[in-house]
Amino acid sequence: MASVTLDLSSASPARPAPVNLSGLTRTELQAALVASGLTPPDKARMRASQLWRWIHHFGVTDFAAMTDVAKDLRSGLAEHFTLARPEVVERQISKDGSRKWLIRTAPGIEIETVYIPDVGRAGALCVSSQVGCTLNCTFCHTGTQPLVRNLTAAEIIAQVQVARDDLEEWPSPREERRLSNVVFMGMGEPLYNLENVAAAIDIIADGEGIAISRRRITVSTSGVVPEIPRAGALTQAMLAISLHATNDELRNTLVPLNKRYPIAELLDAIRAYPGLSNARRVTFEYVMLKGINDSPEEARRLVQLMKGIPAKINLIPFNPWPGAPYECSDWATIERFASILNRGGYASPIRTPRGRDILAACGQLKSESEKVRASVRRAQAPAA
Ligand code: SAH
Ligand code: SF4
């Protein structure tokens, strides 16, 4: 019925939306410049390098700021392309200095990104790789939300750019940085979106730009075994494994993907991860769930499982969310667990809960997209 037809005239102009150059890889940037006719193929590499520095080292969002680019070319670029950031729908700062942003990149695509100070060398940015998740780990809030879609490399990079804007870290500092590490521990399973994650890491690690080295970038997986070797080859990033249990029966419940890739297979894949050494250890994440996985016997079993693997353990106090079927272990229990690991030869820092007042902790990220999508669906549903 005409009365409920959406007016999309302003949303779909005759010309396609301009390509945003700030989310492209170097190769894509070169190709875009050539395709626009603004740069001849034999100059594309040089021109892309020049723009790259402005975009990823200086963080500019306006072609006019590129002072060493000829004026004509700057206006040509502005006609064909954009460098605009996505909309930041919400920004929260915790008492402890953690920050959380809700970034909208498209209708119904809202991405949560969290900055946590004093993690890694100076501070870590926890980025999302998907909106929602196909896996249903029972302790994870994201797991209660169906997958909306994979994020593009540009949407992953936008999270770093928005954080850098807000932390006022342009141009890329050489030494003192607030944002020193990037962890793929936000929403989603990065190994189910490996191409885009790898392209984003190429951009983040590029020494002429954001320049966060691959040793300070960690990809966390719930254990997608067949993708682990490829993740190593494509990203050369540090690996984190969400283990959470020391026997298959319990892990099948907590991380249902374990039914497909049980612990023994997972450990084999980790052993084969390229570049592991005492200086480049794999991190085992272990969420502490009261009365579920926190006994001294399980701590001892964990030590056994990791034998022969250059590893460290991250004990994560469970972050409760409304309706969660678990509780966090008592502090004394966590400390006892940690001391058994220490005696077994593994440093096992307990991750201090951060940003609790703004629900910024891992596993609490669940975007509003679901709601938004539902309302979009309702609006688009043909009137019966
Ligand atoms: N999908 C990937 C990465 C995102 S989850 C993975 O599962 O590894 C990032 C980390 O947060 C994982 O170790 C995950 O198990 C943990 N996590 C999820 N929900 C949590 C919660 N409620 N409390 C504490 N840690 C949680
Ligand atoms: Fe997905 Fe990771 Fe949450 Fe499991 S813990 S549901 S894999 S985001």
Side-chain angles (χ1 to χ4, degrees), residues 331-371:
W331 200 252
T333 309
I334 300 179
E335 286 192 331
R336 190 177 49 185
F337 200 95
S339 72
I340 295 172
L341 301 177
N342 287 341
R343 266 182 273 134
Y346 291 95
S348 50
I350 304 167
R351 194 186 289 171
T352 39
R354 308 300 299 268
R356 281 209 163 159
D357 51 334
I358 57 169
L359 279 185
C362 291
Q364 288 183 321
L365 307 184
K366 179 171 184 282
S367 83
E368 292 293 304
S369 311
E370 205 181 359
K371 263 191 263 164

Side-chain angles (χ1 to χ4, degrees), residues 142-207:
T142 308
T144 64
Q145 185 189 341
L147 178 71
V148 177
R149 72 160 165 78
N150 280 343
L151 297 181
T152 62
E155 288 169 329
I156 296 171
I157 284 299
Q159 299 172 60
V160 181
Q161 290 164 335
V162 163
R164 274 261 183 114
D165 291 346
D166 201 26
L167 295 166
E168 300 183 4
E169 267 200 344
W170 303 112
S172 230
R174 275 191 181 283
E175 297 292 332
E176 294 296 306
R177 290 183 176 210
R178 298 172 81 185
L179 201 178
S180 58
N181 294 61
V182 172
V183 296
F184 283 80
M185 293 183 188
M187 298 171 70
E189 171 48 57
L191 266 51
Y192 280 155
N193 186 18
L194 190 51
E195 272 73 22
N196 291 335
V197 165
I201 290 178
D202 284 346
I203 299 174
I204 298 168
D206 192 294

